[in-house]
């Protein structure tokens, strides 16, 4: 039995392609793996607080020295971290906003950047501490963004690969639903749906 953390980051509801497809994947996953446990977090509609100076001081000081303000800063943050570390797999529905990820998802990921928990730093550089897990990112984009695209650059997938790699999670897969505005929207969605149905059985 595996524990899967399913996270949506879109600000939209039924009109969100990433949200609809991530739910379709989870529904298909349950058919193939009924014993697995799904945890769900909706960052688009229920965002986590941004970290601040107090939070930074708290995570870089011993618990016995924490002030009431530091304790409060970690009250939401620590459960997010423990939840992230406790599961086996991650499924993210992530729209592209301004060529990158939504601010709500960035805010969430900042809570997870914890020295000694998700990464460590030595003379050899940064080494991730979270191992044996994998992540699926279902992204939605208005266009297609190869390196020479005249419409802008993709700062979504490279960032997510980098931050999860810094945690030690290199087994990541992307299903990018592109050209939703600048191309054949229905074809893009249909191709993604077929890919996700196959992944639900074999991922």
């Amino acid at each position: 039995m595996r524990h899967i953390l399913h996270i949506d980051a879109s600000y939209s509801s039924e009109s969100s392609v990433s949200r609809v497809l991530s739910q379709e994947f989870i529904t298909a996953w349950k058919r193939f793996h009924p014993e697995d446990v799904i945890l769900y977090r909706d960052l688009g509609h229920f965002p986590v607080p941004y970290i601040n100076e107090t939070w930074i001081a708290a995570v870089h000081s011993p618990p016995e020295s924490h002030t009431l303000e530091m304790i409060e800063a970690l009250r939401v943050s620590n459960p997010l971290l423990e939840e992230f570390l406790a599961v086996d797999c991650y499924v993210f529905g992530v729209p592209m906003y301004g060529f990158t990820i939504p601010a709500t998802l960035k805010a969430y990921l900042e809570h997870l950047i914890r020295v000694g928990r998700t990464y460590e730093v030595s003379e050899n550089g940064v080494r991730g501490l979270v191992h044996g897990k994998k992540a699926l990112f279902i992204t939605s984009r208005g266009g297609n963004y190869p390196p020479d695209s005249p419409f802008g650059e993709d700062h979504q997938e490279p960032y997510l690969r980098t931050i999860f790699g810094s945690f030690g999670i290199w087994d990541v897969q992307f299903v990018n639903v592109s050209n939703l505005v600048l191309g054949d929207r229905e074809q893009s969605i249909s191709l993604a749906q077929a890919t996700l149905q196959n992944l639900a059985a074999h991922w």
Side-chain angles (χ1 to χ4, degrees), residues 28-47:
W29 181 271
K30 288 179 179 178
R31 289 200 303 269
F32 290 106
H33 313 280
E35 72 285 358
D36 287 356
V37 176
I38 311 296
L39 306 176
Y40 181 65
R41 186 169 291 279
D42 186 345
L43 296 177
H45 294 158
F46 302 96

Side-chain angles (χ1 to χ4, degrees), residues 170-192:
W170 296 103
D171 188 353
V172 297
Q173 186 158 351
F174 283 79
V175 176
N176 297 325
V177 192
S178 302
N179 292 319
L180 293 174
V181 176
L182 301 176
D184 189 330
R185 176 185 179 89
E186 296 308 316
Q187 181 184 38
S188 297
I189 293 174
S190 294
L191 288 173

Side-chain angles (χ1 to χ4, degrees), residues 8-201:
D8 279 319
S10 175
Y11 304 144
S12 302
S13 297
E14 290 82 3
S15 62
S16 165
V17 171
S18 65
R19 186 181 289 274
V20 168
L21 291 182
S22 77
Q23 184 56 61
E24 287 184 4
F25 174 82
I26 290 295
T27 300
W29 181 271
K30 288 179 179 178
R31 289 200 303 269
F32 290 106
H33 313 280
E35 72 285 358
D36 287 356
V37 176
I38 311 296
L39 306 176
Y40 181 65
R41 186 169 291 279
D42 186 345
L43 296 177
H45 294 158
F46 302 96
V48 300
Y50 291 108
I51 66 172
N52 54 27
E53 185 175 11
T54 303
W55 181 94
I56 293 172
V59 299
H60 290 95
S61 60
E64 59 270 18
S65 69
H66 287 176
T67 64
L68 291 177
E69 289 77 12
M70 290 179 179
I71 293 171
E72 180 61 23
L74 296 179
R75 182 180 60 82
V76 173
S77 188
N78 282 341
L80 293 174
L81 175 64
E82 298 304 331
E83 176 185 74
F84 182 82
L85 294 176
V87 301
D88 304 294
C89 307
Y90 313 95
V91 175
F92 287 86
V94 188
M96 177 182 279
Y97 294 154
F99 309 110
T100 188
I101 66 174
T104 51
L105 179 54
K106 179 65 162 57
Y108 168 78
L109 293 173
E110 287 180 349
H111 284 277
L112 309 178
I113 303 173
R114 300 285 197 99
V115 65
R117 300 299 306 279
T118 53
Y119 77 100
E120 65 180 7
V121 181
S122 69
E123 59 186 17
N124 298 318
V126 176
R127 186 176 74 90
L129 299 176
V130 186
H131 304 297
K133 304 177 189 292
K134 58 183 179 179
L136 170 64
F137 298 97
I138 303 166
T139 77
S140 58
R141 296 109 171 272
N144 190 28
Y145 303 97
D148 58 348
S149 170
F151 298 108
E153 297 183 8
D154 174 8
H155 298 283
Q156 183 188 53
E157 180 175 337
Y159 170 75
L160 289 169
R161 285 188 181 277
T162 298
I163 191 67
F164 272 73
S166 75
F167 296 157
I169 304 171
W170 296 103
D171 188 353
V172 297
Q173 186 158 351
F174 283 79
V175 176
N176 297 325
V177 192
S178 302
N179 292 319
L180 293 174
V181 176
L182 301 176
D184 189 330
R185 176 185 179 89
E186 296 308 316
Q187 181 184 38
S188 297
I189 293 174
S190 294
L191 288 173
Q193 287 173 321
T195 299
L196 291 169
Q197 288 296 314
N198 183 63
L199 279 174

